[in-house]
Structures are given as structure tokens and as C-alpha cells.
Amino acid sequence: MASIMTGCGWLFDLYPIRHGMQMWFLREDGEPVALWERYAPSFYVRGPAAMVSRALRTLRIPTTASRTERIDLWTGRTVPVFEVRVEDPLRYAGVVARLGRWEDGALELFTCGIPVAQRYCYDRHVFPLAWCAWEATDTGELRALHVLDDPWAVDYPLPPLRVLELKVEGELINPRHGHRGRLEVSWEGTTRLLDSEDPQGLLESLEGVLRQADPDLILSHWGDAWLLPSLRQLECRCQVRLPWNRDPQAAIPGRRAHSYLSYGRIVRREASQFLAGRWHLDAQNTFLLAETGLEGLLELARLCRMPVQQLARTSTGTAISSLQLLQAHQDGILIPWHKHQAEQFKTAAELLVADKGGLVFVPEPGLYGDVAELDFASLYPAIMAKFNISPETLDCPCCPDHRVPELDRHTCQRRRGLVPRVLEPILAKRARLKRLKRTASDPQACQTYDRRQTALKWILVTSFGYLGYKNFVFGRIEAHEAVTAYSRELLLRAKELAEAAGFRLIHAIVDSIWVHKPRLTEREVVDLADTISRAIGISLAVEGIYRWLIFPPSRTHPRLGVPNRFVGVFRDGTLKVRGLECRRHDTAPFIAQAQQAVLLVLAQAGTPNELARHLPEALDVLKASALQLWEGRVPLHDLAITKQVSQAPDAYRRPCDTAITAHSLLARGVRLAPGESVQFVITEARDSDPASRVRPLAWGEPAEGYDRAKYVELLLRSAETVLGPLGYDYARLEELIRPARKLGLGADTGGP
């Protein structure tokens, strides 16, 4: 009889193997422990018993089927189905695919599209990074697993991780585009450069590092798209096998690269390189890690029951959908494999009303003082929770009197919806984390709380989009429209209450309002927020009171402002910037830093009138930046402009900078995919030869340098955004920096 061993640790990694699930735990001292458990994932089938039996026999894969009942989401009634268990988890997806095609879709399949590791977490009530106690045989077979943790906890310990970083030395430039250098490996304060000119020596050195460091996390830069695939090609060529995986028998399939359309924008998802028993995270291929840090990523992994490597490479929409699928599974609801709900027909008049979206009051451009900003906390998710908006609760047969504003629709008051039940605990947890952040005295704890609440903010933001997402099984556009209808009504009500209290509305956009009142006090603003919160039933928080606030004019319509494009300084000295060049991803770093430097000077002003006193210093900062550009002293990587390729290189019809860069790379054998980012430097913007106008950053320093006049123009355009409302338009700024040009170019006295 096998002896039983016990232990405790964090559930670090899990993935399917032939007869179950392989799991890796990290003990308190960081020691990894490998255990496995027998597990047969299941799904549900609706169809005649004889047909189900015949279909399963033809598979010739060990499965079992039993009768059971589950709940239909739309009716709330139980329906008879067959639960089919697949003995080999590695063949689960194949079984589902073959049954789905059986006799041209004669069988209906449910709860079958959830990845096996994720489904295991649902079934076993466990989650990544959970602190667990286990009992296992001496051969590593898990006999009992006890979760001693709570995914809804706000304070929880995490394992000490050994981290190894991999990148090509030098600036962070995509090596797939031609940038080359030695391999830089860093761990525990040590950095080594491995010579790529000697492939055999490089692999042997890297093997030694991997064995010595035994990292839990390999953090790479462009590891998915280029670095790991290139190293694995070298392994094959040199017949060397690196110990990437702690589990030498594992072969976790990655994901292929693909491009897709999201909210009118082409997005590129690079191929994924997963490891077994340790994590590989590519810093250039993960939105969550970039936006929320490791703390935010791990918060969502725990909450959404998704393995860390997979979650890092998915969208926040996938994270919130996992929580909805989990709730449905726990409630015994059948999850359709494919969506069957089509959008209901609307007349043109109905569509005009239903499809308005969120309400926006466009600001008048200019300089303001005594302005307060108030924000609804997660307005759209709060509306879904408050008014019970969910696909199955809209237009129920039992509550026709609970009307949606403007729309000929109503929501149910008897049956609590799936979506509100998912959102309520997330909203509550985020509110707790924000309170802890405000009261934390330790800077590290404050940062941790902030990153965790930011991660929750992102899944709350996408919960609204997924409510109407055409491909999500629980998506319904009519529910999406009901949320925006309520939001318009609530924002109008907030405006009326503010005006009744003597405030003037300056700007409003969906879930935020900016109000003005001469010599307003903090007490007045807090009272206004409390009044609106009580009247509406959704919390309205005071973001702050501005010392001064600038709404720049639109470049195409100068008499109008641009929604959510402003800069201001709160009374506590905090600078807030939205929509300006220094916040845009396609602004050259030097231009962004110069604009930020100008703003930091202006931030010293305590009132709108004091701005004039700080203008000379701000203009000096601008002139110094212009002089650096004219003298050619700005490093190339600080001038790189990052753009996304919206289509295949040969599909472009005009020579815009992005198209020129894509064609230049294609000429050297690098084909960019739609949605992929590319960096380039402007070399001669007005050259008659398009190929000479820009140069890929990965190609290094061009002999001709950069186009100084063009970059000065970009600098002045960014300065005009801020200084224009203060009396310094582009022409005046251009005249101001003429001396800098003379210093930089000597005898040339022409304008830029």
C-alpha cells in the first residue's frame, strides 16, 4: 500500500495530462512540488439517447455518459441532458469537435468550450495561487486537496518567485524587425551577456543558467514572437535540449498568432510559448502585465480561475467571461457551445433611439478655475447590478412595468440575473481595495492595492462590452442598449441636481462630470456628490477640485473642445492629463517628455491667473528641447514613433509612414501582420522618394540622421495643445524658437 505524504503550498501551475491534471505547488520556502490527480472533464449533450450512444461508440475514445438535468438560462427551467465524461483530458477538445459535427450538428452541445485547466478549477473549487493543503501518495498522485484560501480576499500572501529575465541587449526594439545583439540574461542581481555569434556556446551557457537559477518565472521581451522560437531553432540545429520545462515530459500546445477586429481596430495576438512547471510571460505580449503589474495579473488569475500564462495572453473580456461561465456552471446552467440569440429587428426610428450610446457634453475650449470633477464608480457595471440587467432578465414575461428609459423594454424584478450576480462581488471588492489604498501607510502596500483594484477596473470596463458582444454566448445587444439608456438618464439627472445647487456644467462624458462654481469649497462639492449619490442610488465620488483646468480646442473645429482631452492641476498639486500627446502611444518619447516637462512647470501655478507668471520658464523648457533637436543630440530611440499596421503591407494604397515602414521591412524579408506594432524614425518627411522618408528603428542609426525640422514641428504642435489657450499658438511658438534654430544650424535662418 502506497504511503501518504502531506504538505502545504500555493497552486502554481496546472495543465492536462493523459489521465488527469498535472499540478505544481510552491512551498513556503519556494521549493516546487509536482502532483497529479485523475480527472475526466465533462460536457453536456442534448439529443435522442440512441443517437448519443451511437455517436460515442464511433469515437473509439473512452467516454461515459449519464442522464442528468441542467437549467436553461433563458427560461430558468430544468431540461434533461446527457453528461459525457472524457477519460483522457488531452482528447477532450477532439471529442467535442467530432460530436459537434455529428450528422451535421444533430446533437446540441453545452459547457464544452471551457479550457480543461480552467474547467478543473471550476469543478474542484480551486484557483491559481490558492494556498492549499494536500495529501498524496509517494508516487505523486493527489488523494485530497483542501483549499485554505479565498479568491475574494483583499489581503493574501503570494509565493516568493525566482525570476529570470531574457532579452536582446540594448534598447527594447523588436528583434523580429532586424534588431540584433547578444542575449542578456538577468537573475537575482546577476546579468550575463551570451554571445549569439557562437550558437553552441550560447545554448550551453543558457542551459547552465537555467539549471542554476531554476526560475519560477521567465520574463522575456518578445519571447513569444521571436526569442523563444529562435532559441528552439538553435536547439534543433545544435542538437541541444534546454530545460525550459520543469516537467520534461510535458508538451503544452501554444497558440498560433492571429489578427482580429475589436471595436473597429485591428488587434494582433502573437503566438504563445507556454512552459510546464514554470511560467513564461512576454512583457511585450500581455496587456494585463503592462497595465496592472504582476500583482494585478495574479489577482485576476485567482479570481477568474485561469492559469497565469494563459490569462496573461488573453483580453480582459476573456477574464470577465470566465467569471460569468463559472457562475453559470455553479448554478447548473447549460452554457451553449455556440451563440443562438440573434439581434431583434428594429425600425430605423427605434435604432436611432436605442443606439445612442453614452451621453457626452462637449466642453468649450479654454482655461478654467474653480472646477470640480466627479466620477461615478464603475457606472455601467453598477447600472447592470442596480437595475438587474442581464440577457435573460430583459423583457421577461412577468414584470412589464419595470421600464427602461426611452426604450420599449423592461427588466425582471423576480429573478436575479447572471450578470448582476457576477458583478456585485467584483464591485464590492474593488471598493474595499480602493479604501485600503487610501488608508495604507506603506508605499508597497498602497501600490499592491492600487494594481489589484486597477485589474478589477479593467474587467468591469469590459463587462459592458461583453454584454453586447456578438460572439459571447451570453451576449445580447438589447441588454447593452438598456445600460446606455439608463446611463443617459442618470447623467441628465446628475446635471439637473448640480444646476439646482448653483453649479454650471462644463463637461460631461458618460460617467464623469465637470462642474464650475465661483470660489467653490470642498464641502460644497462633497455635499453635491452625496446629494446625487442618494438621488440616483449609485455612488458619485469627488475626483478633485482643480486649481486650473485647460480644455484645448479641436484642430478641425477650433470653437469646440474634444471630449476627455484636457489637462489640469488639483488643489493637492496632482497633475491630471487626458488625451494629450504625452499620453498617446504613437508620440515619440522625446516629444512626450518635452510636453510633460512644460506641464510640470505650469503645474506650479496655484490659480489660472498665476499661469502667466510661469509661462517664461515653460517657454524656456520648450526652447531647450527645440535646441536639442536642431543640434541633432536626441538619441534615435527617443524619436521613434510607434504605429500599428492596419492591413497587410501590399494592401496599402498610399505611402503613409506606416506603409513605407512595412514595405521597407518586407524588402528585407520581414512581413508585418495586421495589428502588429512597428517603430520608425522620420528621416526626411518631404523626400520625393517615399522609401527615404522614414526608416525602421530596428535598422539602427541612419547615415542621414533624423528630420530635425519635422520633429521640431511635432514638438511645437504638442506645445500648442497646452499653450494655445494661454495665447501661444503655433505661429507664435515658431517665432519664439527661431534663435534655437540659428544656434543649431548656424547660418540657416529660415523657419522650421
Side-chain angles (χ1 to χ4, degrees):
M1 182 177 178
S3 60
I4 298 295
M5 64 175 185
T6 61
C8 291
W10 288 276
L11 177 57
F12 177 72
D13 194 19
L14 69 162
Y15 46 88
I17 54 177
R18 186 171 180 184
H19 294 298
M21 292 296 297
Q22 180 70 52
M23 285 167 283
W24 288 83
F25 294 86
L26 292 182
R27 296 182 185 271
E28 271 191 298
D29 60 2
E31 184 68 23
V33 177
L35 302 173
W36 69 280
E37 180 185 9
R38 295 186 185 278
Y39 174 64
S42 69
F43 59 93
Y44 301 96
V45 180
R46 184 158 61 188
M51 182 180 291
V52 172
S53 178
R54 190 169 70 254
L56 291 176
R57 282 199 306 272
T58 62
L59 293 176
R60 297 183 179 178
I61 295 174
T63 58
T64 59
S66 58
R67 294 179 184 272
T68 187
E69 288 186 338
R70 303 291 280 182
I71 299 170
D72 180 87
L73 173 71
W74 306 104
T75 65
R77 301 190 185 96
T78 58
V79 293
V81 290
F82 290 93
E83 182 176 14
V84 177
R85 291 197 173 275
V86 182
E87 299 302 319
D88 182 355
L90 295 178
R91 306 183 76 177
Y92 178 83
V95 170
V96 168
R98 288 173 64 183
L99 280 188
R101 295 192 299 266
W102 176 260
E103 294 187 2
D104 296 324
L107 299 174
E108 282 188 273
L109 273 59
F110 301 90
T111 318
C112 58
I114 303 167
V116 173
Q118 199 170 316
R119 177 63 184 276
Y120 173 86
C121 290
Y122 292 5
D123 289 340
R124 295 292 194 264
H125 306 289
V126 70
F127 51 92
L129 282 307
W131 178 256
C132 304
W134 66 76
E135 299 173 15
T137 67
D138 52 8
T139 60
E141 183 178 357
L142 195 66
R143 291 296 175 85
L145 182 64
H146 307 285
V147 178
L148 309 176
D149 203 344
D150 181 1
W152 296 102
V154 292
D155 281 305
Y156 47 85
L158 290 171
L161 297 177
R162 296 193 291 265
V163 181
L164 182 141
E165 188 172 353
L166 283 179
K167 63 187 282 285
V168 176
E169 70 169 324
E171 298 298 329
L172 288 177
I173 303 170
N174 192 340
R176 199 177 85 79
H177 297 170
H179 174 64
R180 294 293 184 270
R182 292 175 294 180
L183 181 64
E184 185 176 306
V185 189
S186 304
W187 76 101
E188 295 181 354
T190 300
T191 298
R192 287 182 60 183
L193 295 174
L194 308 183
D195 191 355
S196 57
E197 297 297 321
D198 176 14
Q200 187 76 36
L202 182 148
L203 292 175
E204 290 173 357
S205 298
L206 184 56
E207 180 182 14
V209 169
L210 288 171
R211 294 193 186 283
Q212 176 188 344
D214 188 22
D216 303 307
L217 164 60
I218 295 178
L219 179 64
S220 73
H221 295 271
W222 287 285
D224 282 336
W226 187 83
L227 189 53
L228 263 66
S230 298
L231 287 169
R232 282 173 167 160
Q233 287 177 6
L234 280 184
E235 289 179 64
C236 293
R237 208 166 73 206
C238 299
Q239 297 185 332
V240 173
R241 187 176 181 184
L242 295 178
W244 294 111
N245 299 307
R246 278 187 171 137
D247 182 351
Q249 307 303 319
I252 301 179
R255 296 175 183 162
R256 292 183 178 180
H258 64 284
S259 303
Y260 60 95
L261 187 67
S262 176
Y263 295 100
R265 186 172 66 94
I266 295 291
V267 177
R268 179 67 175 173
R269 188 72 66 196
E270 292 295 348
S272 301
Q273 308 290 331
F274 298 133
L275 301 182
R278 54 174 135 247
W279 300 337
H280 167 231
L281 302 180
D282 181 353
Q284 309 300 326
N285 192 29
T286 167
F287 171 83
L288 281 170
L289 187 63
E291 290 292 321
T292 70
L294 192 60
E295 297 94 333
L297 176 64
L298 301 188
E299 166 69 22
L300 290 190
R302 288 167 54 93
L303 204 59
C304 301
R305 280 68 163 183
M306 295 180 66
V308 171
Q309 295 182 93
Q310 283 79 356
L311 175 64
R313 293 165 173 86
T314 60
S315 67
T316 50
T318 303
I320 188 64
S321 70
S322 176
L323 279 170
Q324 293 183 10
L325 296 176
L326 170 64
Q327 185 70 59
H329 185 58
Q330 290 176 340
D331 292 346
I333 292 171
L334 289 171
I335 302 169
W337 188 19
H338 300 299
K339 183 178 178 179
H340 299 297
Q341 291 285 326
E343 181 176 354
Q344 295 177 1
F345 176 80
K346 300 180 184 72
T347 66
E350 290 171 334
L351 187 61
L352 283 173
V353 174
D355 203 32
K356 286 180 182 177
L359 189 61
V360 175
F361 288 89
V362 177
E364 290 185 19
L367 172 64
Y368 295 85
D370 292 326
V371 172
E373 180 184 346
L374 300 96
D375 297 337
F376 285 105
S378 302
L379 178 62
Y380 282 172
I383 286 173
M384 293 180 234
K386 177 177 174 60
F387 297 103
N388 196 30
I389 300 175
S390 191
E392 79 280 15
T393 61
L394 197 65
D395 296 335
C396 66
C398 52
C399 308
D401 296 330
H402 197 259
R403 312 298 299 176
V404 176
E406 296 187 89
L407 308 182
D408 185 22
R409 301 200 176 280
H410 59 273
T411 55
C412 189
Q413 293 302 287
R414 296 184 181 179
R415 179 187 178 195
R416 194 64 177 153
L418 172 70
V419 171
R421 281 186 294 129
V422 169
L423 294 178
E424 283 170 336
I426 304 174
L427 289 165
K429 184 174 186 181
R430 184 177 180 229
R432 288 184 64 196
L433 286 167
K434 291 176 76 172
R435 286 195 298 270
L436 288 168
K437 174 195 167 186
R438 286 194 297 268
T439 58
S441 56
D442 176 30
Q444 184 60 51
C446 183
Q447 182 187 72
T448 297
Y449 292 137
D450 185 49
R451 289 179 171 179
R452 288 175 182 171
Q453 72 85 18
T454 300
L456 298 185
K457 179 194 78 172
W458 277 113
I459 62 170
L460 287 169
V461 166
T462 51
S463 68
F464 169 66
Y466 260 61
L467 188 65
Y469 183 36
K470 64 179 181 179
N471 291 330
F472 182 47
V473 291
F474 296 143
R476 186 179 174 189
I477 191 63
E478 291 80 13
H480 187 275
E481 292 164 347
V483 174
T484 57
Y486 272 112
S487 77
R488 294 191 296 272
E489 180 77 10
L490 297 182
L491 198 63
L492 283 172
R493 180 70 177 133
K495 172 182 177 291
E496 292 166 357
L497 290 168
E499 290 172 342
F503 290 83
R504 180 167 70 94
L505 187 74
I506 299 296
H507 177 39
I509 179 167
V510 182
D511 60 355
S512 301
I513 61 173
W514 287 257
V515 292
H516 165 73
K517 190 177 186 181
R519 296 177 297 281
L520 85 170
T521 65
E522 186 174 342
R523 182 71 264 164
E524 288 177 302
V525 178
V526 170
D527 288 345
L528 175 64
D530 290 343
T531 298
I532 295 174
S533 298
R534 286 194 301 270
I536 287 176
I538 294 175
S539 176
L540 181 68
V542 178
E543 177 72 6
I545 302 174
Y546 289 95
R547 295 176 182 170
W548 55 264
L549 178 66
I550 293 174
F551 287 107
S554 165
R555 290 210 170 108
T556 53
H557 301 285
R559 296 176 63 183
L560 296 176
V562 179
N564 210 26
R565 186 167 181 249
F566 62 88
V567 58
V569 175
F570 290 120
R571 286 181 177 175
D572 66 359
T574 302
L575 179 70
K576 183 167 184 177
V577 184
R578 292 292 182 270
L580 270 60
E581 287 82 355
C582 62
R583 293 269 300 183
R584 292 176 58 93
H585 296 299
D586 59 355
T587 301
F590 180 82
I591 305 299
Q593 291 159 12
Q595 187 185 59
Q596 185 75 16
V598 169
L599 291 174
L600 289 175
V601 171
L602 297 179
Q604 301 171 56
T607 66
N609 291 334
E610 285 184 20
L611 282 168
R613 201 171 76 222
H614 296 278
L615 269 175
E617 184 183 351
L619 294 171
D620 285 343
V621 169
L622 181 65
K623 286 186 280 188
S625 298
L627 182 60
Q628 279 185 268
L629 286 169
W630 282 125
E631 291 181 342
R633 292 188 285 114
V634 182
L636 212 61
H637 60 267
D638 284 338
L639 297 174
I641 295 171
T642 303
K643 295 281 189 179
Q644 278 194 318
V645 180
S646 60
Q647 53 194 326
D650 42 18
Y652 281 96
R653 293 291 175 263
R654 64 182 188 86
C656 63
D657 291 345
T658 307
I660 295 168
T661 308
H663 280 287
S664 297
L665 289 169
L666 185 60
R668 293 198 181 183
V670 179
R671 174 175 283 275
L672 298 180
E676 190 171 351
S677 293
V678 65
Q679 294 175 292
F680 60 84
V681 175
I682 302 172
T683 50
E684 184 50 69
R686 294 183 176 87
D687 199 297
S688 58
D689 177 15
S692 299
R693 295 173 190 168
V694 297
R695 176 185 174 90
L697 178 65
W699 290 4
E701 191 79 37
E704 64 275 21
Y706 57 82
D707 188 331
R708 303 179 188 187
K710 183 62 180 178
Y711 278 103
V712 169
E713 178 189 331
L714 295 175
L715 174 70
L716 297 186
R717 291 293 180 198
S718 72
E720 183 189 30
T721 303
V722 179
L723 301 177
L726 303 179
Y728 284 84
D729 61 9
Y730 184 87
R732 190 174 179 186
L733 292 172
E734 185 180 24
E735 185 65 31
L736 185 76
I737 60 96
R738 282 185 186 276
R741 172 165 185 163
K742 291 178 181 179
L743 286 171
L745 297 183
D748 185 357
T749 58

